[in-house]
PDB file of all heavy atoms in Angstrom:
ATOM      1  N   VAL B 152       4.277  -5.898 -11.021  1.00  0.00           N
ATOM      2  CA  VAL B 152       3.912  -6.180 -12.415  1.00  0.00           C
ATOM      3  C   VAL B 152       3.523  -4.879 -13.020  1.00  0.00           C
ATOM      4  O   VAL B 152       2.610  -4.201 -12.507  1.00  0.00           O
ATOM      5  CB  VAL B 152       2.779  -7.187 -12.485  1.00  0.00           C
ATOM      6  CG1 VAL B 152       2.412  -7.423 -14.022  1.00  0.00           C
ATOM      7  CG2 VAL B 152       3.090  -8.557 -11.788  1.00  0.00           C
ATOM      8  N   LEU B 153       4.265  -4.439 -14.017  1.00  0.00           N
ATOM      9  CA  LEU B 153       4.060  -3.091 -14.612  1.00  0.00           C
ATOM     10  C   LEU B 153       3.407  -3.153 -15.972  1.00  0.00           C
ATOM     11  O   LEU B 153       4.066  -3.633 -16.920  1.00  0.00           O
ATOM     12  CB  LEU B 153       5.375  -2.327 -14.731  1.00  0.00           C
ATOM     13  CG  LEU B 153       6.139  -2.236 -13.359  1.00  0.00           C
ATOM     14  CD1 LEU B 153       7.547  -1.792 -13.547  1.00  0.00           C
ATOM     15  CD2 LEU B 153       5.364  -1.234 -12.551  1.00  0.00           C
ATOM     16  N   ALA B 154       2.154  -2.783 -16.113  1.00  0.00           N
ATOM     17  CA  ALA B 154       1.526  -2.756 -17.418  1.00  0.00           C
ATOM     18  C   ALA B 154       1.828  -1.524 -18.182  1.00  0.00           C
ATOM     19  O   ALA B 154       1.958  -0.458 -17.532  1.00  0.00           O
ATOM     20  CB  ALA B 154      -0.029  -2.820 -17.191  1.00  0.00           C
ATOM     21  N   MET B 155       2.000  -1.662 -19.514  1.00  0.00           N
ATOM     22  CA  MET B 155       2.328  -0.526 -20.259  1.00  0.00           C
ATOM     23  C   MET B 155       1.135   0.436 -20.558  1.00  0.00           C
ATOM     24  O   MET B 155       1.360   1.553 -20.882  1.00  0.00           O
ATOM     25  CB  MET B 155       2.919  -1.007 -21.645  1.00  0.00           C
ATOM     26  CG  MET B 155       4.286  -1.668 -21.547  1.00  0.00           C
ATOM     27  SD  MET B 155       5.579  -0.563 -20.922  1.00  0.00           S
ATOM     28  CE  MET B 155       5.997  -1.271 -19.373  1.00  0.00           C
ATOM     29  N   ASP B 156      -0.051  -0.098 -20.383  1.00  0.00           N
ATOM     30  CA  ASP B 156      -1.225   0.742 -20.625  1.00  0.00           C
ATOM     31  C   ASP B 156      -2.421   0.169 -19.840  1.00  0.00           C
ATOM     32  O   ASP B 156      -2.371  -0.965 -19.326  1.00  0.00           O
ATOM     33  CB  ASP B 156      -1.516   0.973 -22.093  1.00  0.00           C
ATOM     34  CG  ASP B 156      -1.806  -0.434 -22.796  1.00  0.00           C
ATOM     35  OD1 ASP B 156      -2.543  -1.250 -22.218  1.00  0.00           O
ATOM     36  OD2 ASP B 156      -1.400  -0.640 -23.935  1.00  0.00           O
ATOM     37  N   THR B 157      -3.538   0.949 -19.798  1.00  0.00           N
ATOM     38  CA  THR B 157      -4.733   0.672 -18.983  1.00  0.00           C
ATOM     39  C   THR B 157      -5.349  -0.725 -19.560  1.00  0.00           C
ATOM     40  O   THR B 157      -5.909  -1.423 -18.889  1.00  0.00           O
ATOM     41  CB  THR B 157      -5.731   1.754 -18.937  1.00  0.00           C
ATOM     42  OG1 THR B 157      -5.993   2.215 -20.208  1.00  0.00           O
ATOM     43  CG2 THR B 157      -5.112   2.826 -18.080  1.00  0.00           C
ATOM     44  N   GLY B 158      -5.366  -0.865 -20.921  1.00  0.00           N
ATOM     45  CA  GLY B 158      -5.893  -2.100 -21.423  1.00  0.00           C
ATOM     46  C   GLY B 158      -5.192  -3.334 -20.935  1.00  0.00           C
ATOM     47  O   GLY B 158      -5.853  -4.289 -20.580  1.00  0.00           O
ATOM     48  N   ASN B 159      -3.838  -3.310 -20.884  1.00  0.00           N
ATOM     49  CA  ASN B 159      -3.134  -4.485 -20.341  1.00  0.00           C
ATOM     50  C   ASN B 159      -3.350  -4.586 -18.870  1.00  0.00           C
ATOM     51  O   ASN B 159      -3.372  -5.761 -18.307  1.00  0.00           O
ATOM     52  CB  ASN B 159      -1.730  -4.314 -20.782  1.00  0.00           C
ATOM     53  CG  ASN B 159      -1.479  -4.760 -22.226  1.00  0.00           C
ATOM     54  OD1 ASN B 159      -1.758  -5.825 -22.652  1.00  0.00           O
ATOM     55  ND2 ASN B 159      -1.098  -3.764 -23.013  1.00  0.00           N
ATOM     56  N   LEU B 160      -3.498  -3.430 -18.178  1.00  0.00           N
ATOM     57  CA  LEU B 160      -3.723  -3.505 -16.788  1.00  0.00           C
ATOM     58  C   LEU B 160      -5.049  -4.204 -16.523  1.00  0.00           C
ATOM     59  O   LEU B 160      -5.153  -5.046 -15.562  1.00  0.00           O
ATOM     60  CB  LEU B 160      -3.668  -2.087 -16.136  1.00  0.00           C
ATOM     61  CG  LEU B 160      -3.813  -2.013 -14.628  1.00  0.00           C
ATOM     62  CD1 LEU B 160      -2.689  -2.872 -13.937  1.00  0.00           C
ATOM     63  CD2 LEU B 160      -3.736  -0.564 -14.182  1.00  0.00           C
ATOM     64  N   THR B 161      -6.062  -3.875 -17.286  1.00  0.00           N
ATOM     65  CA  THR B 161      -7.374  -4.520 -17.139  1.00  0.00           C
ATOM     66  C   THR B 161      -7.210  -6.038 -17.419  1.00  0.00           C
ATOM     67  O   THR B 161      -7.828  -6.841 -16.571  1.00  0.00           O
ATOM     68  CB  THR B 161      -8.301  -3.915 -18.124  1.00  0.00           C
ATOM     69  OG1 THR B 161      -8.545  -2.511 -17.798  1.00  0.00           O
ATOM     70  CG2 THR B 161      -9.696  -4.533 -18.002  1.00  0.00           C
ATOM     71  N   ALA B 162      -6.483  -6.449 -18.422  1.00  0.00           N
ATOM     72  CA  ALA B 162      -6.216  -7.834 -18.687  1.00  0.00           C
ATOM     73  C   ALA B 162      -5.490  -8.514 -17.544  1.00  0.00           C
ATOM     74  O   ALA B 162      -5.884  -9.667 -17.186  1.00  0.00           O
ATOM     75  CB  ALA B 162      -5.507  -7.975 -19.973  1.00  0.00           C
ATOM     76  N   LEU B 163      -4.548  -7.838 -16.927  1.00  0.00           N
ATOM     77  CA  LEU B 163      -3.893  -8.397 -15.748  1.00  0.00           C
ATOM     78  C   LEU B 163      -4.804  -8.556 -14.627  1.00  0.00           C
ATOM     79  O   LEU B 163      -4.743  -9.600 -13.852  1.00  0.00           O
ATOM     80  CB  LEU B 163      -2.673  -7.472 -15.363  1.00  0.00           C
ATOM     81  CG  LEU B 163      -1.461  -7.523 -16.230  1.00  0.00           C
ATOM     82  CD1 LEU B 163      -0.525  -6.358 -16.022  1.00  0.00           C
ATOM     83  CD2 LEU B 163      -0.720  -8.879 -16.115  1.00  0.00           C
ATOM     84  N   HIS B 164      -5.631  -7.551 -14.358  1.00  0.00           N
ATOM     85  CA  HIS B 164      -6.643  -7.710 -13.197  1.00  0.00           C
ATOM     86  C   HIS B 164      -7.573  -8.931 -13.391  1.00  0.00           C
ATOM     87  O   HIS B 164      -7.950  -9.639 -12.471  1.00  0.00           O
ATOM     88  CB  HIS B 164      -7.408  -6.437 -13.027  1.00  0.00           C
ATOM     89  CG  HIS B 164      -6.658  -5.404 -12.194  1.00  0.00           C
ATOM     90  ND1 HIS B 164      -6.416  -5.542 -10.869  1.00  0.00           N
ATOM     91  CD2 HIS B 164      -6.150  -4.204 -12.563  1.00  0.00           C
ATOM     92  CE1 HIS B 164      -5.730  -4.550 -10.394  1.00  0.00           C
ATOM     93  NE2 HIS B 164      -5.571  -3.666 -11.450  1.00  0.00           N
ATOM     94  N   ALA B 165      -7.890  -9.214 -14.632  1.00  0.00           N
ATOM     95  CA  ALA B 165      -8.770 -10.354 -14.886  1.00  0.00           C
ATOM     96  C   ALA B 165      -8.125 -11.602 -14.594  1.00  0.00           C
ATOM     97  O   ALA B 165      -8.717 -12.624 -14.288  1.00  0.00           O
ATOM     98  CB  ALA B 165      -9.154 -10.353 -16.375  1.00  0.00           C
ATOM     99  N   LEU B 166      -6.728 -11.667 -14.718  1.00  0.00           N
ATOM    100  CA  LEU B 166      -5.952 -12.849 -14.442  1.00  0.00           C
ATOM    101  C   LEU B 166      -5.506 -13.051 -12.938  1.00  0.00           C
ATOM    102  O   LEU B 166      -5.083 -14.040 -12.475  1.00  0.00           O
ATOM    103  CB  LEU B 166      -4.679 -12.932 -15.385  1.00  0.00           C
ATOM    104  CG  LEU B 166      -4.925 -12.964 -16.752  1.00  0.00           C
ATOM    105  CD1 LEU B 166      -3.624 -12.826 -17.461  1.00  0.00           C
ATOM    106  CD2 LEU B 166      -5.512 -14.326 -17.191  1.00  0.00           C
ATOM    107  N   ALA B 167      -5.586 -11.902 -12.243  1.00  0.00           N
ATOM    108  CA  ALA B 167      -5.035 -11.835 -10.945  1.00  0.00           C
ATOM    109  C   ALA B 167      -5.809 -12.517  -9.878  1.00  0.00           C
ATOM    110  O   ALA B 167      -7.023 -12.511  -9.903  1.00  0.00           O
ATOM    111  CB  ALA B 167      -4.808 -10.362 -10.570  1.00  0.00           C
ATOM    112  N   ASP B 168      -4.996 -13.109  -8.872  1.00  0.00           N
ATOM    113  CA  ASP B 168      -5.734 -13.608  -7.681  1.00  0.00           C
ATOM    114  C   ASP B 168      -5.504 -12.694  -6.518  1.00  0.00           C
ATOM    115  O   ASP B 168      -4.870 -11.624  -6.760  1.00  0.00           O
ATOM    116  CB  ASP B 168      -5.286 -15.059  -7.394  1.00  0.00           C
ATOM    117  CG  ASP B 168      -3.784 -15.130  -7.215  1.00  0.00           C
ATOM    118  OD1 ASP B 168      -3.142 -14.110  -6.981  1.00  0.00           O
ATOM    119  OD2 ASP B 168      -3.246 -16.241  -7.385  1.00  0.00           O
ATOM    120  N   GLU B 169      -5.760 -13.046  -5.352  1.00  0.00           N
ATOM    121  CA  GLU B 169      -5.625 -12.248  -4.154  1.00  0.00           C
ATOM    122  C   GLU B 169      -4.156 -11.802  -3.942  1.00  0.00           C
ATOM    123  O   GLU B 169      -3.849 -10.696  -3.519  1.00  0.00           O
ATOM    124  CB  GLU B 169      -6.184 -12.866  -2.893  1.00  0.00           C
ATOM    125  CG  GLU B 169      -7.606 -12.908  -2.765  1.00  0.00           C
ATOM    126  CD  GLU B 169      -8.050 -13.610  -1.461  1.00  0.00           C
ATOM    127  OE1 GLU B 169      -7.240 -13.816  -0.551  1.00  0.00           O
ATOM    128  OE2 GLU B 169      -9.187 -13.912  -1.397  1.00  0.00           O
ATOM    129  N   ALA B 170      -3.233 -12.778  -4.187  1.00  0.00           N
ATOM    130  CA  ALA B 170      -1.845 -12.455  -4.013  1.00  0.00           C
ATOM    131  C   ALA B 170      -1.222 -11.605  -5.077  1.00  0.00           C
ATOM    132  O   ALA B 170      -0.315 -10.907  -4.858  1.00  0.00           O
ATOM    133  CB  ALA B 170      -1.077 -13.830  -3.906  1.00  0.00           C
ATOM    134  N   THR B 171      -1.755 -11.700  -6.371  1.00  0.00           N
ATOM    135  CA  THR B 171      -1.196 -11.009  -7.441  1.00  0.00           C
ATOM    136  C   THR B 171      -1.775  -9.610  -7.566  1.00  0.00           C
ATOM    137  O   THR B 171      -0.986  -8.744  -7.949  1.00  0.00           O
ATOM    138  CB  THR B 171      -1.475 -11.785  -8.745  1.00  0.00           C
ATOM    139  OG1 THR B 171      -1.035 -13.107  -8.639  1.00  0.00           O
ATOM    140  CG2 THR B 171      -0.836 -11.142  -9.891  1.00  0.00           C
ATOM    141  N   ALA B 172      -3.006  -9.355  -7.278  1.00  0.00           N
ATOM    142  CA  ALA B 172      -3.650  -8.080  -7.508  1.00  0.00           C
ATOM    143  C   ALA B 172      -2.872  -6.881  -6.880  1.00  0.00           C
ATOM    144  O   ALA B 172      -2.698  -5.861  -7.589  1.00  0.00           O
ATOM    145  CB  ALA B 172      -5.036  -8.118  -7.002  1.00  0.00           C
ATOM    146  N   PRO B 173      -2.320  -6.959  -5.732  1.00  0.00           N
ATOM    147  CA  PRO B 173      -1.582  -5.864  -5.154  1.00  0.00           C
ATOM    148  C   PRO B 173      -0.341  -5.506  -5.866  1.00  0.00           C
ATOM    149  O   PRO B 173       0.223  -4.428  -5.657  1.00  0.00           O
ATOM    150  CB  PRO B 173      -1.345  -6.317  -3.722  1.00  0.00           C
ATOM    151  CG  PRO B 173      -2.233  -7.326  -3.431  1.00  0.00           C
ATOM    152  CD  PRO B 173      -2.512  -8.069  -4.675  1.00  0.00           C
ATOM    153  N   LYS B 174       0.219  -6.469  -6.661  1.00  0.00           N
ATOM    154  CA  LYS B 174       1.408  -6.225  -7.372  1.00  0.00           C
ATOM    155  C   LYS B 174       1.257  -5.424  -8.650  1.00  0.00           C
ATOM    156  O   LYS B 174       2.234  -5.001  -9.279  1.00  0.00           O
ATOM    157  CB  LYS B 174       2.054  -7.590  -7.803  1.00  0.00           C
ATOM    158  CG  LYS B 174       2.348  -8.534  -6.723  1.00  0.00           C
ATOM    159  CD  LYS B 174       2.805  -9.872  -7.427  1.00  0.00           C
ATOM    160  CE  LYS B 174       3.094 -10.935  -6.435  1.00  0.00           C
ATOM    161  NZ  LYS B 174       3.611 -12.145  -7.111  1.00  0.00           N
ATOM    162  N   LEU B 175       0.070  -5.213  -9.126  1.00  0.00           N
ATOM    163  CA  LEU B 175      -0.239  -4.634 -10.478  1.00  0.00           C
ATOM    164  C   LEU B 175      -0.230  -3.050 -10.411  1.00  0.00           C
ATOM    165  O   LEU B 175      -0.750  -2.486  -9.510  1.00  0.00           O
ATOM    166  CB  LEU B 175      -1.579  -5.186 -11.001  1.00  0.00           C
ATOM    167  CG  LEU B 175      -1.775  -6.719 -10.952  1.00  0.00           C
ATOM    168  CD1 LEU B 175      -3.211  -7.005 -11.491  1.00  0.00           C
ATOM    169  CD2 LEU B 175      -0.698  -7.398 -11.812  1.00  0.00           C
ATOM    170  N   GLY B 176       0.268  -2.590 -11.496  1.00  0.00           N
ATOM    171  CA  GLY B 176       0.209  -1.094 -11.694  1.00  0.00           C
ATOM    172  C   GLY B 176       0.674  -0.730 -13.123  1.00  0.00           C
ATOM    173  O   GLY B 176       1.151  -1.560 -13.859  1.00  0.00           O
TER     174      GLY B 176
END
């Protein structure tokens, strides 16, 4: 999961569970 900016990355981390969090960048 590729966030376009740090604001969206922060929003993604807030939604992420254990399985999803390692996918984010």
